[in-house]
Every structure is written in C-alpha cells, then in structure tokens.
C-alpha cells in the first residue's frame, strides 16, 4: 500500500436515512446490506479508482452523516470537493427540502463543485408507484435550474449507481482536461485554481 | 436497611492472607503478589495509561457532594407510593403509537415490568431519551418527573431517590439535563447513579457540554432529540454493557492475551506512527485492548475509553471505510471535540485502530499514520502472532488449576486493567451471565459502600459461593461452586494471585508507551 493519491473529492450529502451509505456500499463493494438501519457516525472516507477511457481516476468519496448533529462539521467534508452527490429519498418529500438546503450551501461555498442530484430508493417506486412523493420532472426542472445532473438510483438493485459515478469521473476528466489546456494559454490574469488538485492537499 | 440482613454473609479479617513484610519486594523476585498499589500483579510500569484515581469513588463523588449540600431527602415509603402511583397513572393515560422499532405500549404491563428504565429529560421537562417505548408517549410522565425534581428543589432540597414497591427511582440532576433511573434490581442507589452518569457522559461525548449549555441557554424548550437523532442505539448499547460488562463495573478495561514480545512490537510500531496532532492511538480487538499509546503527560480516563469502545462496538459504520468523527472525551475535557480516525486494519478483521487527534483537518495525516503503522507491523512476525492471538481472545478458568473456582474478576488498581476468564458452561446462557454479573455488582456495592466500606466479603448461596476482596493494590471477585468452603476460598486467593503474577506479561500491558 502506498500513500493515498486522490484525484477528485466527492462528497455525499443529504438528509439522514436517505441512503447515502447504501449508495457508496453498492458502488464500492457491490453489495446491499439488509438489516436494521445504522446511521453513519461523523463521516466515512473511501478511495475508489475508476476507469475513464484510458485513464484511471481515483475518487475520494466522503460519505457524511445526515444527522443535524454533524452539520457544523460538514464544511470540512465538502470543502474542495469536485463533485457533490446530493441525495433525497424519492418517497420522502421532506428529504427534498433538505436537498435544496445542501444545494444552496454548496452554491454559496463551493462554486467549483459540480452537483449531482440523486433520488434514491427507486426500487420502492418500481414496486408501488403510489409511494412516490417527488415527481421526476419537478426534480429534473430543479436540477436544470441549478445546473446539476439528475439521477434516480436504487442501491438495492444497483440501477443507475455505476452510471452516476461514471458520469462524475467523466465530468471530472473533461474539466480537468479543460483546465490543462487553459493552463497552457497565455492568460496572465488567470485565476489561481487551488481546487484543481482537489481535496487532501490543501491543508 | 439494605435488605441484606438475611443473607448468609461473613466479613472477615484479611491480615493473614499475605505476609506484610514482603509487600515491597521486587516484582521479579516476589512469589507473593503485592497488596500495595503499584506492586500488584498487572501493575503497569511507572506511567499508568489512565487517569489515576480511586476510580469508582471518583465517579460517584460529584453526585454525592451535590446531594450532601442539600439536606438529604430520603423519603419514606408511604410518602412515595402516592407519587409513584401518579407516575403509573400517567402511563395509563397517555399512549400513542407510531411505527418506530422501539415502539412498545407504555401503558402495558410488559413495559412497566422491565428491570431497569432510564429516562433523560431537559430541565423544561422535555423528553430526550427513554430506554423502552417512545419519548413522545412519555412526555407527561417525564413532566411528572420534572415536577418532582422542581417541587423538592423549591424547598431548597435535592431529590435523590424514591424507594417504593420493590422499585427504586434515582434522580441525577446535571444541568441542563435530568436523568432518572427506575430499577427493580437490588443495585444500590449509588450504582444506579453511576450508570446514569455514564448515560450523561455518553450524551456529552456527542455534543460537548459547552454546546449543550449553549443550546438550552438560548432556548430552554429545545427538543434535544433533534441533535441526538440516530444516536439512541449508542445509549441502548451502553445500557446493555452496563448490565453485562465487568469493565464498566470495575472501572477498568481488559486486554487481549498476547505474548509480551508481540505486544511490545505492536506498541512500538504504533508509537513510531506518530503525528503532531495525535494524542492517543488505541488498538482494539473487539472489546479488548491490544495496546494504547498516548502523548506524554496526557492520560485517558477509563470512562472515556469505555465510551470509545461503545461507539466502535455499536456501529458497523466504521467497516465501510475510514471513519472520521468528532468526539468529546468528557472526562478529559467537556468543552471541546477531539477528532477520531477509526478504521479496521483489514476488512473482516476484529482489529480496530482509533487515532485521536486534536485537529479536525488532519484526516489524511491520520490516514497516513495508519498506513505507516500497518506497513511496519506487516513486516514483523508479531502481526501473525497478533492474528493468532485473536483466535483465542480469552482463556479457561481451568488453566488456573483451582478445581472449585468457576470464574473470577481481578483488577489491578494502578494500571486500571482487569482480567477475567471466559464464562464456564454453568454460566453459558445470557440469563446466567447477567445473574452472575448481578452478584458481582452486589459484592461491589458492599465493598464500596459509602459509609461502611468492606475489605472483604464471603457469601454462600445454593448456587455458588462468592468471595470479594479489595486491597489498595487490587480488587478481586471470585466465584466458586457451592461445594467450596471458606478455607478453600482463602487458599485459592493466594494460588490465583500467583497464577496471575506468572501470566501478567500476557494478560496485562506492563510497559505502556508514550510518543
């Protein structure tokens, strides 16, 4: 094991019990743990390499606790993040309100962080359409309004989960490439983009 | 008064057990275990790992002082039955049900007959936690509890406990919180109070006292459950531990039995993986301590350590990746958060590393410390020895070679560590284990009685004979088969102490390290 190198910091945000941890579990360990709900304590970090074209990009994923108790700490988790997966529970309208809160927070503090709006527990909707509380198009409209990408996933079946993280990695790769070409230009007034190297290196 | 009169109990003098003139002899030469603090088997070198104090008294002293300040108010049984009835009527009057897993009808007989209830409320009488049932359903009950507290306070008094109807109701006021325990066990008020303190500190460890005070200063009526959401299971688990874990009773922790050479390598590897902000490095194997390295001059209170154990043991959250969480160690400092890096050494391993840092920005530094520790450790054969030791984390009492001895607890006071064999077949079931723990708790109460403390205590019953003995160096609780005699018990003590001395390298951490 060598020192950890992380290309892009990704942060999971959202109300408690919307399924942030399950999403990470599904993506990283390809599993869905059934059992009593266990909330995350503080935050959990996991690094995951992902193939984009010919390149390998390592995502450093911060799975944060949804509990209000840790809200004051959340800044350290999303600071410098290149991507934020803002989760809401498709069957719980209050979780969408919370998602709006996180979006606002990110817009205010992290202008370089790309937002991925993610409706979770899609399998429940598939089983019974009447439990849906957040309309697909409403969420889609909101996503467009804030310039975010929008996904509906199920960690239980795995539906759309890999697609979500793949999109993050590809977007990162594209923008990283953009910065690179910008850097070679002659723009003397270019802003110093400390977020380019993302996460861990800025302390 | 304590209802102990009928028991067949004999207290006896202990002067003959060990030759006094040999107390101070060197550890290496001494076949007789020292009775004096610092020379007993399991005593760590000069630098103990934990805050050194008369731990049990230390824990309860605060509350007692408070209680003494106000004139003692031990209500007579007649006075209190009425109030208790009022409480129970309240239970009948209000019930509501929503779909929580914890849901239980608080008006039911089953709810009422739980052995031990714990309630936490704010000084405004708002429910914060209940062990059984839901807080919502108990809001008026908790209102009555608060009314009792305020009523007595208005008379410039403090309510400590109510004894009635085979039930003890114990109150602990820790502004801005009030904790109430209702118990049908034979534990003393003091023991119950100590358990409430644990629950209080559990809450403080999540929020800090500063934050807690701040919240209630601004909004007396605040619903603290908002901030504690999702932590109820930590409190539930802590209460379970208080019933079952001898470590919480003895105010001590136990170690994974491990050859001292291997433990030294693990400790020094951990010592080498240091960082500026690092205060404590703790390696756990399940509930057992493998080693603990600390910053020079900083000591950990066993209570804080138990809170950390409880946090790690209660949650699968840290198996997911590397955990990074704020944690207040209330016995160290109630005002601020440390930040703990918590992770398992390998995915399915029992070995969990906890790195406690002062800097909340230091995650990647801590992560690197872990990597360095693991790298160093993997190169040594000690890692394999450690993994092998995990396969037998306990030992059988038969190893001691005292036929009538079934089980024991031995605590070295100066190191704050204890050792105990696995439960024998007779105590295999959960009920039996809890019963035995209850007996130990009883003995513990007697030894540490606030006004009439005992040095030793022998007790016969139909199911087992028990002996408890406390010196300035150690505390010992032995459980014998009912056929054993007192003479045999006395001779067993010496034999056991010698055995522990012989095995102390393996059972204890004798040379704790600092950075």
């Amino acid at each position: 094991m060598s020192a950890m190198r992380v290309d892009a910091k990704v942060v999971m945000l959202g109300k408690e019990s919307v399924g942030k941890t399950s999403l990470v579990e599904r993506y990283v360990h390809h599993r869905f743990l059934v059992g009593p709900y266990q909330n995350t304590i503080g935050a959990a970090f996991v690094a995951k390499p992902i193939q984009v074209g010919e390149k390998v990009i390592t995502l450093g994923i911060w799975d944060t606790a949804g509990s209000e108790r840790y809200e004051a700490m959340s800044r350290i988790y999303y600071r410098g993040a290149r991507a934020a997966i803002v989760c809401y529970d498709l069957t719980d309208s209050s979780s969408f309100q919370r998602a709006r809160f996180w979006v606002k927070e990110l817009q205010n503090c992290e202008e370089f962080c790309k937002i991925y709006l993610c409706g979770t527990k899609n399998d429940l909707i598939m089983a019974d359409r009447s439990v849906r509380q957040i309309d697909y198009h409403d969420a889609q409209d909101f996503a467009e309004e804030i310039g975010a990408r929008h996904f509906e996933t199920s960690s239980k079946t795995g539906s759309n989960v890999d697609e979500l993280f793949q999109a993050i990695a590809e977007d990162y790769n594209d923008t990283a490439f953009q910065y690179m070409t910008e850097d070679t230009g002659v723009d003397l007034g270019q802003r110093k983009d400390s977020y380019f190297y993302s996460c861990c290196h800025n302390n | 008064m304590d209802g102990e009169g009928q028991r067949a109990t004999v207290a006896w003098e202990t002067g003959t057990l060990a030759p006094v003139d040999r107390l101070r002899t060197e550890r290496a030469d001494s076949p007789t275990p020292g009775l004096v603090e610092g020379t007993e088997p399991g005593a760590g070198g000069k630098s103990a790992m934990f805050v050194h104090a008369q731990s049990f008294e230390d824990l309860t002293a605060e509350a007692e002082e408070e209680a003494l300040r106000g004139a003692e108010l031990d209500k007579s049984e007649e006075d209190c039955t009425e109030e208790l009835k009022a409480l129970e009527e309240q239970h009948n009057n209000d019930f509501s049900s929503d779909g929580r897993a914890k849901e239980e009808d608080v008006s039911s007989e089953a709810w009422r007959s739980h052995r031990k209830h714990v309630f936490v409320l704010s000084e405004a009488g708002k429910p914060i936690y209940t062990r059984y049932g839901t807080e919502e359903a108990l809001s008026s009950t908790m209102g009555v509890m608060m009314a009792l507290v305020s009523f007595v306070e208005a008379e410039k008094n403090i309510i400590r406990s109510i004894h009635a109807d085979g039930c003890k109701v114990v109150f602990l006021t820790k502004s801005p919180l009030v904790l109430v325990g209702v118990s049908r066990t034979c534990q003393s008020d003091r023991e119950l109070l100590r358990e409430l303190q644990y629950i209080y500190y559990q809450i403080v460890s999540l929020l800090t006292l500063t934050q807690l005070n701040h919240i209630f200063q601004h909004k007396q009526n605040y619903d603290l459950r908002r901030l504690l959401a999702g932590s109820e299971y930590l409190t539930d688990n802590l209460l379970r531990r208080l019933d079952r874990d001898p470590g919480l009773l003895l105010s001590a922790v136990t170690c994974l039995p491990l050859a001292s050479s291997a433990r030294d390598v693990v400790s020094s590897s951990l010592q080498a993986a240091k960082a500026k902000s690092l205060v404590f490095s703790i390696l756990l194997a399940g509930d057992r301590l493998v080693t603990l390295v600390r910053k020079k001059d900083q000591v950990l209170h066993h209570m804080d350590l138990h809170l950390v154990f409880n946090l790690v043991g209660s949650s699968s959250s840290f198996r997911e990746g590397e955990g990074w969480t704020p944690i207040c160690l209330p016995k160290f400092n109630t005002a601020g958060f440390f930040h703990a890096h918590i992770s398992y050494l390998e995915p399915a391993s029992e070995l969990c590393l906890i790195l406690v840092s002062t800097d909340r920005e230091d995650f990647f530094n801590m992560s690197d410390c872990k990597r360095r520790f693991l790298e160093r450790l993997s190169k040594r054969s000690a890692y394999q020895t450690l993994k092998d030791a995990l396969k037998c984390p306990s030992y059988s009492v038969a190893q001691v070679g005292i036929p009538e001895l079934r089980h024991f607890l031995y605590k070295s006071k100066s190191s704050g560590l204890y050792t105990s064999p696995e439960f024998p077949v007779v105590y295999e079931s959960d009920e039996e284990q809890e019963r035995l723990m209850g007996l130990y708790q009883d003995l513990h109460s007697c030894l540490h009685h606030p006004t009439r403390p005992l040095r030793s205590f022998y007790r016969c019953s139909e199911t087992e004979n028990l002996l408890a003995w406390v010196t300035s160096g150690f505390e010992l609780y032995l459980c014998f088969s009912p056929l054993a005699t007192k003479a045999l018990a006395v001779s067993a003590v010496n034999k056991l102490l010698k055995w522990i001395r012989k095995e102390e390298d393996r059972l204890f951490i004798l040379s704790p390290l600092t950075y």
Side-chain angles (χ1 to χ4, degrees), chain B residues 433-452:
Chain B
Q433 283 180 18
E434 272 183 32
R435 192 178 65 81
L436 181 59
M437 275 308 297
L439 294 170
Y440 284 146
Q441 275 171 355
D442 242 24
L443 294 174
H444 186 268
S445 300
C446 295
L447 292 186
H448 295 273
H449 194 279
T451 52
R452 298 175 282 118

Side-chain angles (χ1 to χ4, degrees), chain B residues 229-412:
Chain B
S231 72
E232 298 85 354
Y233 71 100
L234 291 177
T235 312
D236 293 346
N237 247 329
L238 185 59
L239 283 166
R240 251 195 305 279
R241 273 168 194 257
L242 282 164
D243 285 339
R244 310 214 35 174
D245 187 341
L248 289 145
L249 174 70
L250 295 173
S251 306
V253 291
T254 190
C255 306
L256 177 78
L258 182 66
S260 64
S261 56
R263 194 181 320 264
D264 289 346
V265 172
V266 177
S267 303
S268 62
S269 304
L270 205 51
Q271 184 190 35
K274 62 182 171 190
K276 217 173 111 199
S277 70
L278 198 55
V279 190
F280 300 110
S281 309
I282 305 159
L283 187 63
L284 279 186
D287 272 346
R288 292 161 184 275
L289 189 63
V290 178
T291 186
L292 186 154
V293 184
R294 60 189 175 81
K295 210 180 191 100
K296 219 173 174 176
D297 307 325
Q298 306 297 344
V299 275
L300 197 54
H301 195 282
H302 57 83
M303 196 173 199
D304 289 338
L305 195 57
H306 276 298
L307 292 177
V308 172
F309 279 27
N310 186 50
L311 179 75
V312 172
S314 306
S315 175
S316 60
S317 166
F318 307 111
R319 292 220 170 254
E320 190 207 333
E322 294 169 62
W324 182 239
T325 183
I327 181 172
C328 169
L329 300 176
K331 279 287 177 181
F332 192 95
N333 182 353
T334 52
F337 279 123
F338 282 106
H339 295 267
H341 180 281
I342 304 174
S343 63
Y344 286 86
L345 291 192
E346 286 171 44
S349 171
E350 278 289 282
L351 292 166
C352 182
L353 180 66
I354 302 147
L355 301 169
V356 181
S357 157
T358 51
D359 185 355
R360 72 178 192 179
E361 307 281 342
D362 233 10
F363 172 83
F364 286 97
N365 241 336
M366 292 301 114
S367 186
D368 194 52
C369 286
K370 179 200 173 182
R371 188 189 51 78
R372 281 188 285 146
F373 165 62
L374 206 52
E375 229 170 48
R376 192 176 269 258
L377 189 62
S378 313
K379 282 189 216 142
R380 318 283 186 92
S381 60
Y383 193 31
Q384 196 49 50
T385 317
L386 175 58
K387 285 187 191 167
D388 291 341
L390 286 175
K391 288 173 197 148
C392 44
S394 192
Y395 53 91
S396 143
V397 72
Q399 286 186 26
V400 184
I402 303 171
E404 302 296 331
L405 184 64
R406 284 179 175 178
H407 192 255
F408 67 87
L409 307 175
Y410 169 88
K411 174 192 171 185
S412 145

Side-chain angles (χ1 to χ4, degrees), chain A:
Chain A
M1 234 211 289
S2 62
M4 189 155 10
R5 223 205 95 69
V6 174
D7 297 304
K9 177 172 177 178
V10 180
V11 64
M12 315 287 300
L13 296 169
K15 193 186 167 190
E16 61 192 318
S17 80
V18 294
K20 299 179 288 299
T21 301
S22 294
L23 197 59
V24 176
E25 276 284 327
R26 166 57 76 181
Y27 175 62
V28 176
H29 301 294
H30 314 288
R31 62 183 178 198
F32 180 75
L33 301 175
V34 192
Y37 167 70
Q38 272 234 342
N39 64 332
T40 303
I41 292 167
F45 176 83
V46 60
K48 170 87 177 173
I50 178 169
Q51 186 87 30
V52 180
E54 283 164 14
K55 270 170 71 182
V56 173
I57 286 170
T58 303
L59 300 180
I61 305 168
W62 278 101
D63 176 23
T64 66
S67 166
E68 227 176 282
R69 183 166 66 249
Y70 300 107
E71 204 174 288
M73 302 289 164
S74 60
R75 177 103 183 87
I76 66 165
Y77 302 125
Y78 64 66
R79 187 175 45 216
R82 293 303 303 265
I85 302 176
V86 178
C87 299
Y88 63 94
D89 180 345
L90 289 168
T91 66
D92 171 13
S93 55
S94 71
S95 69
F96 196 69
Q97 290 309 313
R98 193 74 186 146
R100 286 176 185 273
F101 163 85
W102 283 118
V103 167
K104 202 176 280 171
E105 183 100 353
L106 288 166
Q107 284 173 332
N108 288 339
C109 306
E110 293 296 322
E111 54 174 323
F112 296 102
C113 179
K114 195 161 169 44
I115 297 171
Y116 299 79
L117 197 61
C118 178
T120 58
K121 310 187 189 176
N122 202 15
D123 53 286
L124 296 178
I125 309 285
M126 293 301 170
D128 175 9
R129 292 196 171 279
S130 68
V131 297
R132 184 189 270 277
Q133 291 195 4
I134 308 295
D135 185 68
Y136 176 80
H137 296 287
D138 289 351
Q140 184 68 31
D141 289 349
F142 177 60
E144 275 167 24
E145 186 189 315
I146 60 169
R149 292 183 72 167
H150 177 222
F151 291 81
E152 287 192 349
T153 61
S154 163
S155 303
K156 191 169 180 183
T157 65
S159 141
N160 240 355
V161 174
D162 286 348
E163 287 82 349
L164 167 67
F165 284 93
Q166 193 67 38
I168 291 172
E170 280 167 10
D171 290 351
Y172 167 77
N173 193 36
D174 292 347
T175 48
F177 183 69
Q178 257 176 39
Y179 284 127
M180 217 93 88
T181 48
E182 259 174 40
D183 280 353
T184 56
V186 285
D187 181 7
L188 295 174
Q190 66 175 299
R191 56 176 188 274
K192 182 164 176 350
D193 185 2
S194 61
Y195 294 118
F196 178 64
Y197 288 107
S198 72
C199 90
C200 50
H201 306 293
N202 49 12
N203 43 8

